[in-house]
Amino acid sequence: SQQGEEDPQALSIQEGENATMNCSYKTSINNLQWYRQNSGRGLVHLILIRSNEREKHSGRLRVTLDTSKKSSSLLITASRAADTASYFCATDIQGAQKLVFGQGTRLTINP
Amino acid sequence: GAVVSQHPSWVICKSGTSVKIECRSLDFQATTMFWYRQFPKQSLMLMATSNEGSKATYEQGVEKDKFLINHASLTLSTLTVTSAHPEDSSFYICSASRLAGGYEQYFGPGTRLTVT
């Protein structure tokens, strides 16, 4: 079964606002990754945060990781219409060379 | 670098036939390739992990005789859906990990399979 749970399942905001998505997982991880997927397309890797890191930035993206709570958040600041997509977290589980994906958040940015 | 391609990008086949999907790492050698399936508006589900030159490891619930995986070289893995049925219609995505690298996976663009 999938390990990651994301909330919200869907998020609709106005352009320029910030979007926050959350991801929770169940077991120990090596790292956690966030991906974006436009409708009907492949995955785009956004950012990777290692288990010993607490926060990471990349452009308008900010990711936090709390291993004590087994949770992560992705913040997209100053959203744009082009940010409309589905966002998935994926955990790289310790002892298993595979990624387990969360259920995803469908983000819609309204112009 | 780290580009992964898939072919075909979409395919329509008749029920009962078999279809092969290729996954290639174009500019790096991949020790491991992964195959995922994604139904509409759902997340990616790992089907199997394949290492070059050895048998694939299938996830629980995935029929290995139906989804044949071959990883014959460090740059190519194939997924064959045998005796396809309409319920096999899905988006199939592969990914690859670098030789001697970390666990980062590079994803292909996906293949849309429609079984009529």
Side-chain angles (χ1 to χ4, degrees):
Chain A
S1 62
Q2 291 189 60
Q3 172 179 246
E5 294 185 1
E6 293 185 56
D7 79 275
Q9 290 188 1
L11 178 62
S12 181
I13 61 174
Q14 294 300 119
E15 195 166 20
E17 294 180 340
N18 296 341
T20 300
M21 289 158 271
N22 302 294
C23 169
S24 62
Y25 58 92
K26 297 177 183 174
T27 61
S28 296
I29 61 173
N30 294 312
N31 61 67
L32 186 145
Q33 303 176 35
W34 285 91
Y35 290 85
R36 184 184 72 219
Q37 184 181 36
N38 290 84
S39 181
R41 299 291 194 90
L43 291 162
V44 175
H45 184 264
L46 295 177
I47 199 165
L48 180 153
I49 186 164
R50 301 190 190 283
S51 60
N52 61 352
E53 296 176 309
R54 292 296 167 258
E55 188 171 313
K56 206 161 183 179
H57 296 254
S58 177
R60 294 184 295 114
L61 306 180
R62 172 177 169 254
V63 168
T64 62
L65 178 64
D66 187 334
T67 52
S68 67
K69 294 181 180 178
K70 291 186 168 57
S71 67
S72 174
S73 67
L74 170 66
L75 169 67
I76 303 174
T77 60
S79 64
R80 306 168 181 169
D83 295 329
T84 294
S86 290
Y87 291 81
F88 296 93
C89 67
T91 47
D92 183 346
I93 303 170
Q94 279 187 6
Q97 193 197 359
K98 61 181 182 181
L99 293 177
V100 177
F101 282 81
Q103 297 163 344
T105 294
R106 291 191 303 280
L107 176 65
T108 302
I109 308 298
N110 302 304
Chain B
V3 178
V4 176
S5 71
Q6 282 184 241
H7 178 81
S9 55
W10 59 271
V11 58
I12 301 173
C13 71
K14 292 186 176 180
S15 190
T17 62
S18 296
V19 61
K20 181 185 287 187
I21 302 169
E22 292 185 349
C23 176
R24 292 181 185 272
S25 56
L26 299 184
D27 52 2
F28 68 99
Q29 291 184 318
T31 48
T32 306
M33 288 186 168
F34 305 84
W35 287 95
Y36 297 85
R37 180 168 54 185
Q38 184 181 33
F39 292 108
K41 297 188 178 181
Q42 293 188 24
S43 187
L44 281 74
M45 294 294 291
L46 180 65
M47 299 175 67
T49 303
S50 74
N51 293 295
E52 184 262 340
S54 61
K55 289 184 179 180
T57 301
Y58 290 81
E59 294 298 301
Q60 193 172 7
V62 178
E63 300 174 58
K64 61 180 181 181
D65 294 331
K66 180 170 182 61
F67 298 99
L68 302 179
I69 292 172
N70 184 278
H71 191 164
S73 77
L74 285 171
T75 59
L76 173 64
S77 177
T78 60
L79 167 67
T80 301
V81 183
T82 62
S83 186
H85 291 281
E87 56 265 33
D88 298 324
S89 298
S90 187
F91 194 51
Y92 291 87
I93 304 175
C94 74
S95 69
S97 288
R98 282 183 190 275
L99 180 68
Y103 293 130
E104 187 168 352
Q105 296 182 26
Y106 304 94
F107 284 82
T111 296
R112 174 77 56 194
L113 170 64
T114 302
V115 184
T116 60

